[in-house]
């Protein structure tokens, strides 16, 4: 099998090995992208939970206290 003009011919076994390595590299890159995507999603979820802990949860607790105070007729 010839590659480019002026280059030595490459045997079919070598070409198969190269194609196999290329396919393995493509698969490894795909798995790496999936892993990075999951890592970014996890970081986003942790940030969202931090926002909830700092802002939303205390706001909900205050709302519940106000509601209980209004229902029970607090002072």
């Amino acid at each position: 099998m010839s590659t480019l003009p002026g280059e030595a011919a490459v045997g079919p076994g070598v070409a198969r090995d190269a194609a196999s390595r290329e396919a393995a590299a493509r698969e490894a890159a795909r798995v790496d992208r999936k892993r990075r995507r999951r890592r970014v999603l996890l970081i986003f979820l942790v940030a969202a939970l931090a926002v909830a802990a700092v802002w939303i949860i205390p706001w909900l607790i205050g709302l519940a206290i106000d509601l209980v105070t209004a229902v029970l007729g607090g002072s």
Side-chain angles (χ1 to χ4, degrees):
M1 178 185 309
S2 178
T3 55
L4 294 174
E7 288 192 17
V10 175
V14 174
R16 262 194 307 276
D17 289 345
S20 175
R21 282 192 304 273
E22 185 179 339
R26 260 190 260 115
E27 178 65 19
R30 186 187 66 78
V31 169
D32 189 46
R33 280 192 305 273
K34 188 175 183 179
R35 186 180 306 123
R36 274 187 274 143
R37 201 175 307 130
R38 284 185 179 166
R39 188 180 311 139
V40 168
L41 179 61
L42 180 63
I43 290 170
F44 175 78
L45 290 175
V46 167
L49 286 173
V51 168
V54 170
W55 183 75
I56 297 171
I57 293 172
W59 179 78
L60 288 173
I61 291 170
L63 187 64
I65 290 171
D66 290 344
L67 183 63
V68 168
T69 303
V71 168
L72 296 178
S75 48

